[in-house]
Each structure stands twice: as structure tokens, then as C-alpha cells.
Coordinates of all heavy atoms in Angstrom, one line a residue:
T132 N -210.5 -25.8 75.2 CA -210.0 -25.4 73.8 C -211.1 -24.8 72.9 O -210.7 -24.3 71.8 CB -209.5 -26.7 73.1 OG1 -210.5 -27.5 72.7 CG2 -208.4 -27.4 73.9
N133 N -212.4 -24.7 73.4 CA -213.4 -24.0 72.6 C -212.9 -22.6 72.2 O -213.1 -22.1 71.1 CB -214.7 -24.0 73.3 CG -215.8 -23.2 72.6 OD1 -216.1 -22.1 73.0 ND2 -216.3 -23.8 71.5
K134 N -212.4 -21.9 73.2 CA -211.8 -20.6 73.0 C -210.9 -20.4 74.3 O -211.3 -20.6 75.4 CB -212.9 -19.6 73.0 CG -212.7 -18.5 72.0 CD -213.9 -17.6 71.8 CE -213.6 -16.5 70.7 NZ -214.8 -15.6 70.6
Y135 N -209.7 -19.8 74.0 CA -208.8 -19.7 75.1 C -208.9 -18.4 75.9 O -208.6 -18.3 77.1 CB -207.3 -19.8 74.6 CG -207.0 -21.1 74.0 CD1 -206.7 -21.3 72.7 CD2 -207.1 -22.3 74.8 CE1 -206.4 -22.5 72.1 CE2 -206.8 -23.6 74.2 CZ -206.5 -23.6 72.9 OH -206.2 -24.8 72.3
S136 N -209.5 -17.4 75.3 CA -209.5 -16.0 75.9 C -210.6 -15.7 76.8 O -210.4 -14.8 77.7 CB -209.5 -15.0 74.7 OG -210.6 -15.1 73.9
P137 N -211.8 -16.4 76.8 CA -212.8 -16.0 77.7 C -212.5 -16.4 79.2 O -211.8 -17.3 79.5 CB -214.0 -16.8 77.2 CG -213.7 -17.2 75.9 CD -212.2 -17.4 75.8
C138 N -213.2 -15.7 80.1 CA -212.9 -15.9 81.5 C -213.6 -17.2 82.0 O -213.3 -17.7 83.1 CB -213.4 -14.7 82.4 SG -215.2 -14.4 82.1
N139 N -214.5 -17.8 81.2 CA -215.1 -19.1 81.6 C -214.4 -20.3 81.0 O -214.9 -21.4 81.1 CB -216.6 -19.1 81.3 CG -216.9 -18.8 79.8 OD1 -216.0 -19.0 78.9 ND2 -218.1 -18.5 79.4
A140 N -213.3 -20.1 80.4 CA -212.5 -21.3 79.9 C -211.8 -21.9 81.1 O -211.4 -21.3 82.0 CB -211.4 -20.8 78.9
S141 N -211.8 -23.2 81.1 CA -211.2 -24.0 82.2 C -209.6 -23.8 82.2 O -209.0 -24.0 81.2 CB -211.5 -25.5 82.2 OG -212.8 -25.7 82.7
E142 N -209.1 -23.4 83.4 CA -207.6 -23.3 83.5 C -207.0 -24.4 84.3 O -205.8 -24.5 84.2 CB -207.3 -21.9 84.1 CG -208.0 -20.7 83.4 CD -207.4 -20.3 82.1 OE1 -206.8 -21.2 81.4 OE2 -207.5 -19.2 81.7
G143 N -207.8 -25.1 85.0 CA -207.3 -26.2 85.8 C -208.1 -27.5 85.6 O -209.4 -27.4 85.5
L144 N -207.4 -28.6 85.5 CA -208.1 -29.9 85.3 C -207.7 -30.8 86.5 O -206.5 -31.0 86.7 CB -207.6 -30.5 84.0 CG -208.2 -31.9 83.7 CD1 -209.7 -31.9 83.5 CD2 -207.5 -32.5 82.4
L145 N -208.7 -31.2 87.3 CA -208.5 -32.1 88.4 C -209.1 -33.4 88.0 O -210.2 -33.5 87.5 CB -209.2 -31.5 89.6 CG -208.8 -30.1 90.1 CD1 -209.7 -29.6 91.2 CD2 -207.3 -30.0 90.4
V146 N -208.4 -34.5 88.3 CA -208.8 -35.8 87.9 C -208.7 -36.8 89.1 O -207.6 -36.9 89.8 CB -207.9 -36.4 86.8 CG1 -208.5 -37.7 86.3 CG2 -207.9 -35.4 85.6
A147 N -209.8 -37.5 89.4 CA -209.8 -38.5 90.5 C -208.8 -39.6 90.2 O -208.8 -40.1 89.0 CB -211.2 -39.0 90.7
R148 N -208.1 -40.0 91.2 CA -207.1 -41.0 91.0 C -207.6 -42.3 90.4 O -207.0 -43.0 89.6 CB -206.4 -41.3 92.4 CG -205.2 -42.3 92.3 CD -204.4 -42.2 93.6 NE -203.6 -41.0 93.7 CZ -203.8 -40.1 94.6 NH1 -204.8 -40.2 95.6 NH2 -203.1 -39.0 94.7
G149 N -208.9 -42.7 90.7 CA -209.5 -43.9 90.2 C -209.7 -44.0 88.7 O -209.8 -45.1 88.2
V150 N -209.7 -42.8 88.1 CA -209.9 -42.8 86.6 C -208.8 -42.1 85.9 O -208.8 -42.1 84.6 CB -211.3 -42.1 86.2 CG1 -212.5 -42.8 86.8 CG2 -211.2 -40.6 86.7
A151 N -207.8 -41.7 86.6 CA -206.7 -40.9 86.0 C -205.9 -41.7 84.9 O -205.6 -41.1 83.9 CB -205.8 -40.4 87.1
A152 N -205.7 -43.0 85.2 CA -204.9 -43.8 84.2 C -205.6 -44.0 82.9 O -205.0 -44.1 81.9 CB -204.5 -45.1 84.9
Q153 N -206.9 -44.0 83.0 CA -207.7 -44.1 81.8 C -208.0 -42.8 81.1 O -207.9 -42.7 79.8 CB -209.1 -44.8 82.1 CG -209.0 -46.2 82.6 CD -210.4 -46.7 83.1 OE1 -210.8 -46.4 84.2 NE2 -211.1 -47.4 82.2
F154 N -208.2 -41.8 81.9 CA -208.7 -40.5 81.3 C -207.5 -39.6 80.8 O -207.6 -39.1 79.7 CB -209.4 -39.7 82.4 CG -209.8 -38.3 82.0 CD1 -210.9 -38.1 81.1 CD2 -209.1 -37.2 82.4 CE1 -211.2 -36.8 80.7 CE2 -209.4 -35.9 82.0 CZ -210.5 -35.7 81.2
L155 N -206.5 -39.5 81.6 CA -205.4 -38.5 81.2 C -204.7 -38.8 79.9 O -204.5 -37.8 79.1 CB -204.4 -38.4 82.4 CG -204.8 -37.5 83.6 CD1 -203.8 -37.6 84.7 CD2 -205.0 -36.1 83.1
P156 N -204.4 -40.0 79.6 CA -203.8 -40.2 78.2 C -204.7 -39.8 77.1 O -204.3 -39.3 76.0 CB -203.5 -41.7 78.2 CG -203.3 -42.1 79.6 CD -204.3 -41.3 80.3
R157 N -206.0 -40.0 77.3 CA -207.0 -39.6 76.2 C -207.1 -38.1 76.1 O -207.0 -37.6 75.0 CB -208.4 -40.2 76.5 CG -208.4 -41.7 76.3 CD -209.8 -42.3 76.6 NE -210.8 -41.8 75.7 CZ -212.1 -42.1 75.7 NH1 -212.6 -42.9 76.7 NH2 -213.0 -41.5 74.9
I158 N -207.3 -37.4 77.2 CA -207.4 -35.9 77.1 C -206.1 -35.3 76.7 O -206.0 -34.3 76.0 CB -208.0 -35.3 78.4 CG1 -208.4 -33.9 78.1 CG2 -207.0 -35.3 79.5 CD1 -209.6 -33.7 77.1
G159 N -205.0 -36.0 77.2 CA -203.7 -35.5 76.9 C -203.4 -35.5 75.4 O -202.7 -34.6 74.8
A160 N -203.8 -36.6 74.7 CA -203.6 -36.7 73.3 C -204.3 -35.6 72.5 O -203.8 -35.0 71.5 CB -204.1 -38.1 72.8
I161 N -205.5 -35.2 73.0 CA -206.3 -34.1 72.4 C -205.6 -32.8 72.6 O -205.5 -32.0 71.7 CB -207.7 -34.1 72.9 CG1 -208.5 -35.4 72.4 CG2 -208.5 -32.9 72.5 CD1 -209.9 -35.6 73.0
Y162 N -205.2 -32.6 73.8 CA -204.5 -31.3 74.2 C -203.2 -31.2 73.4 O -202.9 -30.1 72.8 CB -204.3 -31.2 75.6 CG -205.5 -30.9 76.5 CD1 -205.4 -31.1 77.9 CD2 -206.6 -30.4 76.0 CE1 -206.5 -30.9 78.7 CE2 -207.8 -30.2 76.8 CZ -207.7 -30.4 78.1 OH -208.8 -30.1 78.9
A163 N -202.5 -32.3 73.3 CA -201.2 -32.3 72.5 C -201.5 -31.9 71.1 O -200.7 -31.1 70.5 CB -200.5 -33.6 72.7
A164 N -202.5 -32.5 70.5 CA -202.8 -32.3 69.1 C -203.2 -30.8 68.8 O -202.9 -30.3 67.7 CB -203.9 -33.2 68.6
K165 N -203.7 -30.2 69.8 CA -204.2 -28.8 69.7 C -203.1 -27.8 70.2 O -203.4 -26.6 70.3 CB -205.5 -28.6 70.4 CG -206.6 -29.4 69.8 CD -208.0 -29.1 70.4 CE -209.1 -29.8 69.7 NZ -210.4 -29.5 70.3
G166 N -202.0 -28.3 70.6 CA -200.9 -27.4 71.1 C -201.1 -26.8 72.5 O -200.5 -25.8 72.8
V167 N -201.8 -27.5 73.3 CA -202.1 -27.1 74.7 C -200.9 -27.6 75.6 O -200.7 -28.8 75.7 CB -203.4 -27.5 75.3 CG1 -203.6 -27.1 76.7 CG2 -204.5 -27.0 74.4
E168 N -200.3 -26.7 76.3 CA -199.2 -27.0 77.2 C -199.9 -27.5 78.5 O -200.8 -26.9 79.1 CB -198.3 -25.8 77.5 CG -197.2 -26.0 78.5 CD -196.4 -24.8 78.8 OE1 -195.9 -24.2 77.8 OE2 -196.3 -24.4 80.0
M169 N -199.4 -28.6 79.1 CA -199.9 -29.2 80.3 C -198.9 -29.1 81.4 O -197.8 -29.6 81.3 CB -200.3 -30.6 80.1 CG -201.5 -30.8 79.2 SD -201.8 -32.5 78.6 CE -200.7 -32.5 77.1
R170 N -199.3 -28.3 82.5 CA -198.4 -28.2 83.7 C -199.0 -29.0 84.8 O -200.0 -28.7 85.4 CB -198.3 -26.7 84.0 CG -197.8 -25.8 82.9 CD -197.6 -24.4 83.3 NE -197.2 -23.6 82.2 CZ -197.0 -22.2 82.2 NH1 -197.2 -21.6 83.4 NH2 -196.6 -21.6 81.2

């Protein structure tokens, strides 16, 4: 979210299963607040 247009912005997020239940709701809340669509 720093900037959407540069070629070095992350387009894919991979999350290890062992931390997914803790991590994804936290990052998801931030993305949701900033209007980022998650596929």
C-alpha cells in the first residue's frame, strides 16, 4: 500500500499455514481499511 503503481509493489502475499490464523486477520483489517481487494 505504500504506492500501488510501481513495479516493486507486492502483488502476491503468501502465508505459511502455521501463522496464517494469527497473521491474515491482522493484515486483512489493514487492507480492508485501505480499500485493497483480496483475491
Side-chain angles (χ1 to χ4, degrees):
T132 72
N133 174 255
K134 218 172 183 181
Y135 298 116
S136 57
C138 57
N139 57 18
S141 280
E142 307 287 25
L144 177 65
L145 305 174
V146 186
R148 186 165 287 116
V150 297
Q153 294 170 279
F154 174 78
L155 278 175
R157 290 181 62 183
I158 194 66
I161 292 171
Y162 287 163
K165 295 183 177 182
V167 176
E168 179 184 306
M169 291 165 273
R170 301 182 184 178

